[in-house]
Amino acid sequence: MSMGGQQFILMLEGVNKTFDGFKAISDLNFYMDEGELRVIIGPNGAGKSTMMDLITGRTQPDSGKIEFGADTDLTRMNEYQINRLGIGRKFQTPSVYIYHSVFENLLLSLKGPRSVFSSLFHRTTPAQRDRIGEVLHTVGLTERSDWKAGSLSHGQKQWLEIGMLIAQDPKLLLVDEPAAGMSDEETRKTGELLVSLAGRHSVIVIEHDMTFVRQLARKVTVLHQGTVLCEGTVDQVQNNERVIEVYLGRKKKEKEKGER
Ligand code: ADP
Ligand code: MG
């Protein structure tokens, strides 16, 4: 898919998704460049997670196009097929094998969906050890390689899980609210990590924390009622009249509720 010579890694066009008559995604258009780090924000219920579900094949659109890379139609594929194309997703809660070491967790993800047992009983190759070393360095867990994953802090578990995804060298990485529950210092480090992944990978980050969004300092897409409300820099979207209305309107309603 290209537009004026521009190559997109991901394109959604005229996408709709209804759940029991409720329009969760409504005529959604979204274009992303290869190697880009894009931030998606929007109030609760805006359709952010549903958009991820549609990209990753967890749910299918009622209508519209979802294309990956040059011309791969994702709308007819299942989750497994889409993952195999190089699209990785990180959910909000970390899911690591807490009784295995950080190194073993990375080894397991490197080897793919085999049984935990068979993966750990086979010897690691020098190439695998090198790759795991690289990933440990990238996510800042080199010193924690031998630690049981269960003994890591919440932030470190999140980084391990990001490491488990990048061990598979995905082309596109989807990350849902990575900074939730993190300390300020962990949040800052997570921002640095995501920025460092851009270029080699294309990355979509869903986020609420505006301080964090500002730190990422990339193009922001504001989703509202299942469609794009506006796109631009952090400053542009924060000063956009419609965005202010959506967020302040909501605050006003919450305040009115609180006063009742
Ligand atoms: P966000 O992630 O932006 O908070 P979601 O994508 O989770 O929003 O949800 C968008 C809307 O779609 C919400 O109103 C939610 O209740 C609804 N929704 C999402 N998934 C389902 C589902 N599987 N069944 C019914 N309704 C859903
Ligand atoms: Mg969500």
Side-chain angles (χ1 to χ4, degrees):
M1 88 206 76
S2 82
M3 211 182 248
Q6 178 63 63
Q7 186 70 48
F8 296 118
I9 182 85
L10 182 69
M11 180 186 90
L12 282 78
E13 249 174 15
V15 175
N16 291 284
K17 178 70 188 179
T18 302
F19 293 111
D20 307 319
F22 177 79
K23 226 162 181 217
I25 295 291
S26 174
D27 195 26
L28 176 62
N29 299 305
F30 181 84
Y31 307 88
M32 191 174 148
D33 291 339
E34 192 155 2
E36 195 184 336
L37 167 59
R38 179 74 64 92
V39 184
I40 299 181
I41 64 168
N44 270 334
K48 303 181 296 294
S49 297
T50 305
M51 182 180 166
M52 303 288 110
D53 291 345
L54 290 165
I55 296 166
T56 55
R58 198 171 202 214
T59 47
Q60 275 65 49
D62 301 331
S63 59
K65 277 201 287 198
I66 305 178
E67 285 183 8
F68 179 61
D71 53 10
T72 308
D73 176 8
L74 298 183
T75 59
R76 306 267 173 277
M77 294 187 187
N78 65 33
E79 268 184 293
Y80 176 73
Q81 291 168 319
I82 291 173
N83 183 254
R84 287 279 303 266
L85 286 176
I87 300 183
R89 179 184 194 174
K90 194 200 160 312
F91 289 91
Q92 257 170 272
T93 39
S95 60
V96 296
Y97 298 99
I98 56 169
Y99 297 113
H100 288 288
S101 71
V102 168
F103 183 93
E104 287 165 344
N105 271 274
L106 291 170
L107 181 63
L108 289 168
S109 63
L110 200 60
K111 291 195 172 181
R114 273 210 252 157
S115 88
V116 174
F117 231 53
S118 74
S119 293
L120 292 178
F121 271 115
H122 289 92
R123 284 185 172 282
T124 54
T125 65
Q128 286 171 334
R129 286 195 294 275
D130 284 355
R131 179 70 189 130
I132 292 171
E134 263 176 38
V135 174
L136 283 169
H137 179 75
T138 303
V139 299
L141 291 175
T142 307
E143 312 285 299
R144 298 283 180 267
S145 180
D146 297 331
W147 282 37
K148 290 259 185 295
S151 61
L152 298 175
S153 73
H154 171 72
Q156 289 168 334
K157 280 189 194 120
Q158 299 276 10
W159 300 332
L160 172 56
E161 206 186 354
I162 292 173
M164 290 166 73
L165 286 169
I166 61 176
Q168 298 167 355
D169 211 14
K171 294 191 184 88
L172 174 64
L173 193 58
L174 311 175
V175 190
D176 204 342
E177 292 190 39
M182 282 190 184
S183 67
D184 288 350
E185 176 61 8
E186 287 176 335
T187 301
R188 196 186 54 72
K189 280 193 185 164
T190 303
E192 279 173 9
L193 169 59
L194 293 171
V195 168
S196 80
L197 295 179
R200 177 168 177 168
H201 311 268
S202 306
V203 186
I204 298 180
V205 182
I206 294 181
E207 191 50 58
H208 273 299
D209 180 345
M210 285 310 287
T211 314
F212 183 65
V213 172
R214 195 163 278 284
Q215 188 201 331
L216 296 174
R218 298 302 165 101
K219 186 167 172 182
V220 178
T221 297
V222 184
L223 220 61
H224 176 54
Q225 295 177 347
T227 200
V228 174
L229 187 69
C230 92
E231 271 179 347
T233 63
V234 185
D235 284 323
Q236 282 168 347
V237 303
Q238 279 197 319
N239 291 312
N240 180 286
E241 284 301 322
R242 298 168 71 198
V243 175
I244 292 169
E245 203 175 295
V246 165
Y247 277 95
L248 294 187
R250 222 161 56 92
K251 285 222 179 79
K252 209 175 139 209
K253 268 190 213 130
E254 277 163 16
K255 196 165 166 252
E256 281 164 2
K257 252 191 220 160
E259 280 168 359
R260 250 187 269 143

